[in-house]
Amino acid sequence: MSERKPIESWLSDMDGVLVHEGQAIPGADEFVRRLARSGRPFLILTNNSIYTRRDLSARLATLGLQVPPEAIWTSALATARFLADQRPEGSAYVIGEAGLTTALHEAGYVLTDLEPDYVVLGETRTYSFSQITKAVRLIENGARFIATNPDPIGPSLEGSLPATGAVAAMITKATGVEPYFVGKPNPLMMRSALNAVGGHSESTAMIGDRMDTDVVAGVEAGLETILVLSGVTRKEEVERFPFRPSHVVNSIADVIPMIG
């Protein structure tokens, strides 16, 4: 590995890094406290577009993790920023929850099913056939297709749930139109997070639990990458990938000494 600059700002995935199955991962609370004391800018990233920043901050607080809303960055926020840059004050038909609709409203978007500029697909616990049918017809009539993230399944206490990527695949099958995915592993998510945190790629680290989203997105954005083995990717799987993380550690507790 080439010599890198000291880490001045931090990006971290949430599920599998700080929390797992509704519980804080040991060391996550101290990691967040150490970052706050260090004064170094940081963002907690998630591909989940269901919740607003305030919602997620409150949910993390119940687990003992004191993360202010402004230190959270979601695929919904990245999507809203992307659309505001692409087509300011545009319109969208949205399938999703408050995290996505709030972000788009705050970006100046009108939410409508009348000739929208975009169909924007996010996560929801209540995908409906009528919503999906409406999305298909709007795309057939020329609306551009955007999805917050490509994750095919999401976690729940009862097991896996179909997520944005799976529903996007159904719409693509019906229309022949592929969506543009904004969230990880798109480096756009990393660059928007870097802009939000005021960081530079040469002095920013990305912590994640997945080689195929967190680490590849960090590598493609030029960040230092830290894979924790507390989530999806297992140690024996790392060598199968054509790219490598800068560091592989057991859990977030092992990252705490790296904070300057």
Side-chain angles (χ1 to χ4, degrees), residues 7 10 30-32 34-35 38 40 255-260:
I7 300 171
W10 293 82
E30 178 58 26
F31 170 76
V32 172
R34 183 74 66 87
L35 274 180
S38 75
R40 301 194 183 282
V255 182
I256 296 170
M258 301 182 190
I259 301 172

Side-chain angles (χ1 to χ4, degrees), residues 79 82 121 145-151 164-166 168-169 172 178-189:
T79 298
F82 171 73
L121 174 67
F145 187 16
I146 301 286
T148 56
N149 69 82
D151 300 353
T164 309
T172 294
E178 296 276 351
Y180 181 71
F181 291 108
V182 175
K184 298 176 294 181
N186 189 339
L188 183 72
M189 176 88 166

Side-chain angles (χ1 to χ4, degrees), residues 1-164:
M1 293 285 181
S2 59
E3 191 68 25
R4 294 187 59 94
K5 294 181 179 180
I7 300 171
E8 299 290 342
S9 53
W10 293 82
L11 305 178
S12 175
D13 185 36
M14 187 170 67
D15 294 314
V17 177
L18 302 180
V19 299
H20 182 64
E21 293 183 351
Q23 299 293 324
I25 289 174
D29 54 349
E30 178 58 26
F31 170 76
V32 172
R33 283 196 297 269
R34 183 74 66 87
L35 274 180
R37 288 200 303 267
S38 75
R40 301 194 183 282
F42 70 96
L43 277 182
I44 307 303
L45 274 61
T46 177
N47 261 357
N48 190 315
S49 65
I50 290 177
Y51 303 107
T52 66
R53 282 171 150 176
R54 289 178 61 191
D55 294 337
L56 286 171
S57 177
R59 292 170 73 88
L60 289 171
T62 64
L63 303 179
L65 305 180
Q66 302 303 320
V67 180
E70 60 271 19
I72 295 172
W73 192 248
T74 71
S75 63
L77 292 166
T79 298
R81 178 168 291 188
F82 171 73
L83 292 183
D85 289 342
Q86 290 288 305
R87 189 175 291 263
E89 299 182 348
S91 60
Y93 175 70
V94 177
I95 300 176
E97 301 281 349
L100 183 55
T101 56
T102 300
L104 286 166
H105 273 308
E106 290 178 349
Y109 258 62
V110 172
L111 306 190
T112 179
D113 61 358
L114 300 175
E115 299 183 356
D117 298 316
Y118 297 96
V119 166
V120 181
L121 174 67
E123 281 171 303
T124 172
R125 295 288 187 254
T126 56
Y127 288 114
S128 77
F129 186 75
S130 62
Q131 285 180 314
I132 293 167
T133 301
K134 173 71 74 173
V136 166
R137 291 173 181 170
L138 291 172
I139 292 168
E140 286 177 336
N141 288 331
R144 302 153 189 86
F145 187 16
I146 301 286
T148 56
N149 69 82
D151 300 353
I153 58 171
S156 79
L157 295 177
E158 295 79 27
S160 297
L161 297 170
T164 309

Side-chain angles (χ1 to χ4, degrees), residues 239-254:
E239 292 297 331
R240 299 179 188 173
F241 291 85
F243 49 88
R244 294 180 57 83
S246 310
H247 312 274
V248 179
V249 299
N250 287 324
S251 77
I252 195 66
D254 300 303

Side-chain angles (χ1 to χ4, degrees), residues 1 4 11-13 17 45 47 184-187 190 204-229 232-234 237-239 241-249:
M1 293 285 181
R4 294 187 59 94
L11 305 178
S12 175
D13 185 36
V17 177
L45 274 61
N47 261 357
K184 298 176 294 181
N186 189 339
M190 293 295 153
T204 300
M206 172 65 197
I207 310 164
D209 71 309
R210 295 183 66 126
M211 286 289 289
D212 58 350
T213 55
D214 306 315
V215 172
V216 70
V219 168
E220 291 182 357
L223 311 183
E224 187 157 350
T225 52
I226 302 169
L227 175 72
V228 295
L229 300 174
V232 173
T233 300
R234 299 284 170 256
E237 296 172 331
V238 176
E239 292 297 331
F241 291 85
F243 49 88
R244 294 180 57 83
S246 310
H247 312 274
V248 179
V249 299

